[in-house]
Amino acid sequence: MADGDAARAIRLGLLLLTELVTPMHEWLDGQRMYFRAQGYTEPEARAMAAATYVAVFGNPIHAPPNGRPQADES
């Protein structure tokens, strides 16, 4: 039964982490859309949103190793 308890603890921990991270992704996407509406190009809007995120939360955003975002460029 200890294995089941450990798996449950891990599952609950991952669910909690998802709940904590998802709002930040939504906030960052909202910032990107805000800058797009202000007339910035998509790369500029992404950069402005990232700069705002770092200024507000103090956490740097690291680019993937190839320097290109993995998400769609909508």
Side-chain angles (χ1 to χ4, degrees):
M1 204 42 120
D3 289 338
D5 291 340
R8 177 176 158 70
I10 290 171
R11 185 176 69 245
L12 291 175
L14 290 174
L15 285 171
L16 176 62
L17 181 61
T18 299
E19 288 296 319
L20 293 173
V21 172
T22 299
M24 291 302 166
H25 288 191
E26 292 171 357
W27 181 88
L28 191 57
D29 194 42
Q31 289 295 303
R32 183 188 56 80
M33 289 187 296
Y34 168 78
F35 288 115
R36 286 291 290 152
Q38 296 299 311
Y40 289 92
T41 65
E42 181 62 25
E44 292 170 335
R46 290 175 61 85
M48 293 293 288
T52 303
Y53 180 88
V54 171
V56 171
F57 298 106
N59 292 335
I61 298 174
H62 299 286
N66 65 1
R68 303 288 298 165
Q70 301 297 325
D72 63 311
E73 297 287 336
S74 53

